[in-house]
Amino acid sequence: MVEVRDGQTGRDFLAVNKIINGNDPNYIQPLDKDILDVFDEKKNKAFRHGEAIRWLLKNDEGKLVGRIAAFVNKKYKNKGDDGPVGGVGFFDCVNDQSAADMLFDVAKHWLLQKGMQAMDGPVNFGERDRWWGLLVKGFEPPIYCLNFNPPYYQELFENYGFKNYFNQLCFALNVGRRLQEKFYLRHAECAKNPDFSAVHIRKDQLDKFAKDFTIVYNKAWAGHGGMKQLEEKVVRKMFKAMKPVMDERISWFAYYKNEPIALWINLPDLNQWFKHLNGKFGLLDKLKFLWVKKTMKCKKFVGLVYGVVPEWQGKGVDSYMIVEGAKVVQRLKIENGEYKPGIPIYSDYEMQWIGEFNPKMINLAEGLGTYRSRILTTYRYNFDRAKEFKPHPALL
């Protein structure tokens, strides 16, 4: 077992992921910088409240056969937790239980020394919108910053003693299909009222939309499932970072009397382009990215955030916003008084994961006519093996 302490071991840590997954045709190598940034104290604000450590595992011949990271973060807490919980992530390993056990053991012992009572994994040292959960179903090319792993990892985790803390569900749909009739009916009801409006994001008005995003997000999500209040300046920074790859036509906001009440934020699936860069993003790679982006059509877009403020839920606002968006994304045409999809600007759509503990959001996602495209699992391992295991409680 080798702790990652310098440039060479850092590069080896990145290499293990490709060594394990590289022969899978569905594998898309993550950008090195996206992984390295997690462990950079200057770039990851999680270091303000915690710390991280990484290890490599080599076999008797000195070949790399595994890796793991462990984290403690005072801000990491889930509903129902009754003690401090640490995390493990960026796990990769050959199909050998003894090797996996060595990796889990070293992480467990470090977390015990830090006063933790359990460990969740695989999770990220930071935000939950990336590198979270073990892929257990839907081994297709991953969307940007979504974990990808061989199927046998599930056995490695469960044989060690990890238990399913919660499932993470991804939803997808064929963009060319007509929406369910209920969307058009609810849209028509809202459209009768001139106080309702829906617009797509504008790159030349990002500050305005950052403010509107903050309002909706904090009303709809803050305080649920570990989500915290967002500051407007953080959202402005996020939007600025997204701007170079943003497609204005696929991110929408709904308003009532000019007050933001719903949002639907999407991006092109960056992995459609990044898969051609082999994990690199230096100057020449950035130039190649621009060329690839210009010459190769992205066929999939990805749902990042979707929701309605509580006081407007169940009143058709989501349908109104989605049909307004579909007019552009699906190039809707009216034939014999009915909306008919034209040739869509993207062919496929997939949403970021929703925790199985959040039935309201799952109902919203399924109401779009989606199917469950992937399942990832967040596992928990209680250090006190006699302690009753409790899965993540449902959000009511």
Side-chain angles (χ1 to χ4, degrees), residues 53-69:
I53 188 170
R54 290 172 286 169
W55 295 275
L56 298 165
L57 181 64
K58 296 183 178 181
N59 63 15
D60 293 339
E61 299 173 354
K63 294 182 179 180
L64 294 164
V65 294
R67 69 173 189 176
I68 198 168

Side-chain angles (χ1 to χ4, degrees), residues 121-140:
V123 299
N124 184 32
F125 183 47
E127 301 300 331
R128 301 182 183 220
D129 62 348
R130 53 180 57 195
W131 317 127
W132 205 281
L134 188 81
L135 184 64
V136 297
K137 183 179 179 181
F139 295 88
E140 299 175 358

Side-chain angles (χ1 to χ4, degrees), residues 272-340:
Q272 300 267 310
W273 297 314
F274 286 156
K275 65 183 179 182
H276 300 285
L277 303 184
N278 298 315
K280 308 303 178 186
F281 207 57
L283 177 59
L284 293 178
D285 306 290
K286 290 178 181 178
L287 293 174
K288 181 179 180 181
F289 169 74
L290 293 174
W291 178 79
V292 169
K293 182 173 178 289
K294 185 175 182 179
T295 58
M296 296 185 181
K297 178 178 173 59
C298 180
K299 298 180 180 180
K300 175 184 282 189
F301 72 113
V302 176
L304 304 182
V305 186
Y306 167 70
V308 181
V309 300
E311 58 265 37
W312 284 101
Q313 291 175 7
K315 297 181 180 180
V317 171
D318 52 342
S319 296
Y320 172 74
M321 176 177 61
I322 288 168
V323 173
E324 290 296 304
K327 289 179 181 179
V328 176
V329 178
Q330 289 188 317
R331 295 191 171 111
L332 289 181
K333 301 173 291 185
I334 296 180
E335 295 181 3
N336 300 320
E338 288 189 352
Y339 284 117
K340 300 288 185 182

Side-chain angles (χ1 to χ4, degrees), residues 135-340:
L135 184 64
V136 297
K137 183 179 179 181
F139 295 88
E140 299 175 358
I143 58 178
Y144 180 57
C145 289
L146 188 77
N147 277 338
F148 181 87
N149 53 261
Y152 67 80
Y153 278 23
Q154 183 174 2
E155 289 188 5
L156 297 182
F157 271 80
E158 293 180 1
N159 287 344
Y160 185 76
F162 281 93
K163 294 185 180 297
N164 186 328
Y165 185 48
F166 62 86
N167 282 329
Q168 307 160 219
L169 310 179
C170 295
F171 298 86
L173 56 78
N174 182 323
V175 181
R177 292 182 59 184
R178 189 176 188 273
L179 295 171
Q180 297 175 14
E181 187 63 27
K182 64 182 181 180
F183 283 91
Y184 304 108
L185 296 175
R186 292 170 181 168
H187 171 270
E189 287 298 313
C190 289
K192 293 176 184 177
N193 188 338
D195 288 331
F196 287 106
S197 60
V199 297
H200 64 67
I201 203 167
R202 292 277 301 273
K203 290 185 180 181
D204 58 358
Q205 297 179 24
L206 286 186
D207 284 351
K208 166 200 164 18
F209 287 107
K211 180 179 180 179
D212 295 345
F213 181 100
T214 307
I215 292 171
V216 175
Y217 183 94
N218 285 338
K219 286 184 178 181
W221 288 283
H224 296 287
M227 302 295 186
K228 55 184 181 294
Q229 288 271 339
L230 277 180
E231 296 182 25
E232 187 178 329
K233 63 180 181 181
V234 173
V235 181
R236 284 200 302 269
K237 184 177 180 181
M238 178 179 69
F239 277 15
K240 184 178 180 181
M242 290 165 53
K243 185 177 180 180
V245 294
M246 187 181 287
D247 182 342
E248 294 178 328
R249 303 169 295 175
I250 58 176
S251 287
W252 287 78
F253 288 76
Y255 299 85
Y256 181 75
K257 294 183 177 179
N258 296 320
E259 288 295 318
I261 58 174
L263 56 80
W264 182 30
I265 305 298
N266 306 286
L267 280 180
D269 177 20
L270 302 182
N271 267 2
Q272 300 267 310
W273 297 314
F274 286 156
K275 65 183 179 182
H276 300 285
L277 303 184
N278 298 315
K280 308 303 178 186
F281 207 57
L283 177 59
L284 293 178
D285 306 290
K286 290 178 181 178
L287 293 174
K288 181 179 180 181
F289 169 74
L290 293 174
W291 178 79
V292 169
K293 182 173 178 289
K294 185 175 182 179
T295 58
M296 296 185 181
K297 178 178 173 59
C298 180
K299 298 180 180 180
K300 175 184 282 189
F301 72 113
V302 176
L304 304 182
V305 186
Y306 167 70
V308 181
V309 300
E311 58 265 37
W312 284 101
Q313 291 175 7
K315 297 181 180 180
V317 171
D318 52 342
S319 296
Y320 172 74
M321 176 177 61
I322 288 168
V323 173
E324 290 296 304
K327 289 179 181 179
V328 176
V329 178
Q330 289 188 317
R331 295 191 171 111
L332 289 181
K333 301 173 291 185
I334 296 180
E335 295 181 3
N336 300 320
E338 288 189 352
Y339 284 117
K340 300 288 185 182

